[in-house]
Amino acid sequence: MTDIDSTHPDSTRPETRAVHAGREDFIALGIHAPPIDLSTTYPVADLAAGTASFDALVGGDASARNPIYARLHNPTVARVERALATLEGTEACVAYASGMAAITALLLASRARGAHMLVVRPLYGTSDHLFASGLAGLEAEFVEAHEVAARRRPDTALIFIETPANPTLDLVDIRAVVAAAGDVPVAVDSTFATPILQRPFELGASYVVHSATKFLGGHGDVIAGIVCCSEANAKPLRQVRAATGGLLHPLAAYLLHRGLPTLALRVERAQANAIELARRLAAHPAVECVFFPGHGTVRNAHLATTQMRGPGCLIAFELRDGYIAAARTMQRVALMTPAVSLGSVDTLIQHPAGLTHRVLDDATRDRCGITPGLLRLSVGIEHVDDLWADLEQALRQDSVVVREAA
Ligand SMILES: *Cc1c(COP(=O)(O)O)cnc(C)c1O
């Protein structure tokens, strides 16, 4: 898909941007790796200049002559923010301690526009819980994507969607939601897609949210969250961060930046593996149904090749023998890691109803198709035949045991 690349102001391609973003000044600085600045405070020898810097940062500016205090600004964090803004094609990026801290900051910053938000399910379980609980001060109304125009109110501050959605991999048409939203900003949680496969800002979204813990970090060793948006929208987000303190630590920022150069390579390999595993799973006798963008089993499957540059690296699949078969499969995988989270170099397998989507009530879980026999696979970059051998032995033992029991 070329159309999402053509509008980017930087003429280099995403693969190249992933390698070089946030490193443009290295030759001038005479360095080859990002410096890590761990200062919590910065000397203020010139008080008048320090006051001006303080005012600028508390007001939400991206930088000032003096960082003053690490809750207001950190150069290592600012560097990875610039890299991620470049990758998403936005003016700005604001990084937080986690994906949930990023989403919380977005809700707090949106509160000034009104007290109501529209949300399309399904979603990451904790996002669903945060919205439904009203903890961050917005009243969430859950709607279908086609209901957005009708349910929008004068006090609607934000429309929040996740695509591909967790865990069913339903796709939501970003352009259609933006068109229905009128002047209400649309936020897209694009964690499952990465900026390699999908760039919501170029489709009209106002905010692109990521749990950078997942593919962006990519190695299962850093928790981080980001919101990418215009500079005007970034100011209130920085104000919230400075006031509430959900900061990304500079060491975590360094690790996040460390993962970016291989982002395109990792996503391409994992996606190729996922395409093959989804095909093999769909033909496996223990498998009732495979949910994978492009397979026709997910909502708006066609968007996998128009809105996205491919189906992505996650597969959900339902086992014929339900919960027992799912639990046994998680116990028997030997190469794959039986664990929540996703987007790491290694393949992870988890049970949404028992783990990530536990916080939803039973009715919502049922409505979203999160059944007891559903497993979610985050495909890594291993050799696909090794992954299949592992999955096949885990599934085969299932059917043996179930047959014996019957
Ligand atoms: C993991 C995840 C989050 C939450 O991010 P954390 O970094 O765990 O706080 C939000 N949305 C999606 C889609 C996720 O996968």
Side-chain angles (χ1 to χ4, degrees):
M1 182 170 154
T2 51
D3 114 82
I4 60 172
D5 297 340
S6 57
T7 52
H8 198 277
D10 178 342
S11 65
T12 59
R13 288 151 188 87
E15 294 81 352
T16 308
R17 290 206 290 272
V19 175
H20 291 282
R23 299 163 197 267
E24 297 85 350
D25 55 351
F26 278 10
I27 291 174
L29 290 173
I31 58 174
H32 193 60
I36 303 174
D37 185 340
L38 295 173
S39 308
T40 55
T41 191
Y42 294 84
V44 183
D46 177 339
L47 181 57
T51 303
S53 291
F54 184 90
D55 286 348
L57 294 171
V58 169
D61 280 4
S63 63
R65 261 179 56 199
N66 188 328
I68 304 291
Y69 184 61
R71 185 157 34 68
L72 305 181
H73 184 82
N74 175 275
T76 309
V77 174
R79 184 177 281 285
V80 75
E81 287 174 338
R82 287 198 299 278
L84 290 160
T86 302
L87 281 175
E88 277 298 348
T90 56
E91 282 175 340
C93 167
V94 188
Y96 297 87
S98 70
M100 293 319 302
I103 295 172
T104 300
L106 176 57
L107 299 192
L108 294 174
S110 300
R111 186 62 185 79
R113 279 192 294 264
H116 177 250
M117 71 184 290
L118 291 175
V119 182
V120 176
R121 273 178 172 143
L123 299 164
Y124 181 71
T126 309
S127 305
D128 195 297
H129 175 64
L130 176 68
F131 301 151
S133 68
L135 270 174
L138 288 183
E139 173 212 337
E141 185 179 346
F142 293 91
V143 296
E144 298 289 333
H146 64 84
E147 297 173 318
V148 164
R151 306 286 272 279
R152 185 158 55 84
R153 310 194 317 215
D155 66 336
T156 305
L158 187 69
I159 295 164
F160 194 100
I161 62 176
E162 181 178 309
T163 183
N166 196 341
T168 57
L169 305 171
D170 284 337
L171 302 183
V172 181
D173 189 335
I174 298 169
R175 275 200 184 96
V177 172
V178 167
D183 57 5
V184 181
V186 173
V188 178
D189 185 333
S190 194
T191 299
F192 277 31
T194 82
I196 300 301
L197 300 181
Q198 166 176 288
R199 282 193 292 283
F201 192 79
E202 293 168 6
L203 304 172
S206 296
Y207 299 99
V208 185
V209 175
H210 282 276
S211 168
T213 312
K214 314 296 167 55
F215 290 99
L216 299 178
H219 296 75
D221 56 7
V222 57
I223 290 217
I226 59 166
V227 183
C228 295
C229 58
S230 67
E231 177 55 26
N233 281 337
K235 279 193 192 318
L237 288 167
R238 293 191 199 104
Q239 289 177 315
V240 168
R241 183 176 61 184
T244 63
L247 305 176
L248 184 62
H249 191 274
L251 291 175
Y254 176 87
L255 285 173
L256 178 54
H257 206 168
R258 179 77 164 79
L260 290 184
T262 56
L263 178 65
L265 273 179
R266 287 187 279 110
V267 168
E268 281 161 22
R269 170 62 172 264
Q271 175 170 265
N273 283 350
I275 289 169
E276 184 56 26
L277 289 181
R279 195 182 64 74
R280 296 186 193 181
L281 278 169
H284 195 283
V287 175
E288 175 74 33
C289 187
V290 172
F291 301 95
F292 186 56
H295 261 217
T297 43
V298 304
R299 285 199 205 183
N300 296 313
H302 65 282
L303 294 171
T305 51
T306 54
Q307 175 166 288
M308 295 176 71
R309 289 206 301 178
C313 315
L314 281 112
I315 306 168
F317 60 101
E318 184 160 345
L319 294 175
R320 276 193 211 292
D321 291 320
Y323 178 85
I324 304 237
R328 282 181 184 152
T329 304
M330 271 188 67
Q331 199 167 55
R332 284 168 183 166
V333 288
L335 183 65
M336 299 180 177
T337 308
V340 300
S341 196
L342 57 116
S344 186
V345 283
D346 57 322
T347 298
L348 307 176
I349 187 165
Q350 71 107 3
H351 186 259
L355 296 168
T356 51
H357 290 70
R358 187 106 211 106
V359 287
L360 307 193
D361 58 60
D362 294 349
T364 306
R365 268 205 303 274
D366 285 352
R367 213 174 321 115
C368 295
I370 304 165
T371 58
L374 190 75
L375 287 171
R376 190 192 72 189
L377 207 55
S378 169
V379 180
I381 63 171
E382 302 95 329
H383 195 288
V384 69
D385 289 337
D386 294 329
L387 292 176
W388 180 246
D390 190 33
L391 204 48
E392 217 183 11
Q393 64 79 24
L395 292 170
R396 183 164 353 116
Q397 290 190 32
D398 262 330
S399 50
V400 168
V401 171
V402 170
R403 234 182 286 124
E404 278 169 356

